[in-house]
Amino acid sequence: RAGFAWEFLRRNRRYRGDFEIMSRHVATGTASEMEAALALGQRWGLSFPGDPQQRSDHALILWDVSVLPDAIVLTASPPGAPSLLHCDHLPPASFAVDRADGRHVLWRDRHDDRRIWILPDASPSGQVAALIPLDSHVPMRLESVLRFWQRLTERRAPIVSPLTEQQRHRLILMLRALDGWHEHATYRELAATPLDAGASRPSRPAR
């Protein structure tokens, strides 16, 4: 997705013109490279812009997370939620930019191409967690995070399926039996517990 997006953007005449103006400002010293790049990137949905002369497989660009939903946002893992990943376990960056809002990383190899935004609260050696905005792109963001996790941990994601009606029914019966046991019901009374989920469990007379 990122590659196609860049191929369209680098063919945009307005973007090519803006990039040329930015390059002139940097060459004449009227703006620093970082200041000019951030201004241009903000205008075009990029955390850091690229040279439109470069193809997607060579360009070092960083898309904004709001524009590229499969970009991954990493933050410090919350207390009590241990993570398998640490910042210092991440692969070496092909390209990275440090900004006030964190570190923006392009990770590229022959099998994968990832844009990662590491928020400032993530310690270089600390555990990290993925931050997923609950927007209209949640399915795409989840898929991207899952692929990233599988790649780094070399684990297959378990198949999580909903409970079947039979499983739900068995769990309900187990809960009713547990309630009866807490009320000191006899085995005969537990066996007489209604199987209908809508029926009420007979109460044990007070002693």
Side-chain angles (χ1 to χ4, degrees):
R1 297 185 183 95
F4 281 114
W6 172 245
E7 289 299 336
F8 278 103
L9 181 60
R10 78 186 189 96
R11 288 167 169 79
N12 186 294
R13 293 182 178 180
R14 292 177 58 191
Y15 177 78
R16 297 172 73 92
D18 285 350
F19 187 85
E20 185 177 344
I21 293 173
M22 181 203 76
S23 300
R24 286 203 299 266
H25 284 317
V26 174
T28 58
T30 56
S32 68
E33 182 177 4
M34 180 60 73
E35 290 174 343
L38 293 181
L40 177 61
Q42 186 175 18
R43 191 177 308 131
W44 289 95
L46 300 165
S47 297
F48 198 84
D51 186 344
Q53 298 297 328
Q54 294 181 327
R55 301 182 320 186
S56 60
D57 55 346
H58 292 94
L60 299 175
I61 57 172
L62 295 167
W63 290 92
D64 189 270
V65 67
S66 63
V67 175
L68 187 69
D70 62 0
I72 296 171
V73 184
L74 297 180
T75 186
S77 184
S83 171
L84 296 175
L85 299 179
H86 297 67
C87 273
D88 53 5
H89 292 166
L90 299 179
S94 302
F95 179 62
V97 175
D98 291 309
R99 306 191 333 182
D101 61 353
R103 183 173 179 83
H104 296 259
V105 176
L106 171 63
W107 173 40
R108 173 179 290 166
D109 62 20
R110 60 179 181 170
H111 300 294
D112 210 351
D113 193 352
R114 292 276 155 219
R115 274 75 179 172
I116 304 169
W117 176 16
I118 305 175
L119 298 181
D121 67 342
S123 168
S125 59
Q127 297 178 343
V128 292
L131 179 63
I132 302 176
L134 298 178
D135 56 12
S136 59
H137 301 295
V138 165
M140 189 182 300
R141 297 187 191 280
L142 289 172
E143 180 185 359
S144 179
V145 169
L146 180 58
R147 291 201 308 266
F148 180 71
W149 177 81
Q150 289 175 317
R151 183 68 189 281
L152 295 186
T153 62
E154 297 183 346
R155 296 188 179 197
R156 294 186 61 184
I159 299 176
V160 181
S161 56
L163 292 174
T164 65
E165 286 299 320
Q166 183 180 8
Q167 289 172 326
R168 291 174 56 85
H169 189 59
R170 288 184 61 188
L171 290 173
I172 290 173
L173 292 180
M174 290 170 65
L175 288 172
R176 288 181 184 164
L178 183 60
D179 289 340
W181 182 78
H182 283 158
E183 295 181 10
H184 307 289
T186 64
Y187 288 114
R188 182 182 297 275
E189 290 169 332
L190 291 177
T193 300
L195 298 181
D196 183 4
S200 59
R201 179 174 51 82
S203 58
R204 180 173 176 81
R207 295 176 180 175

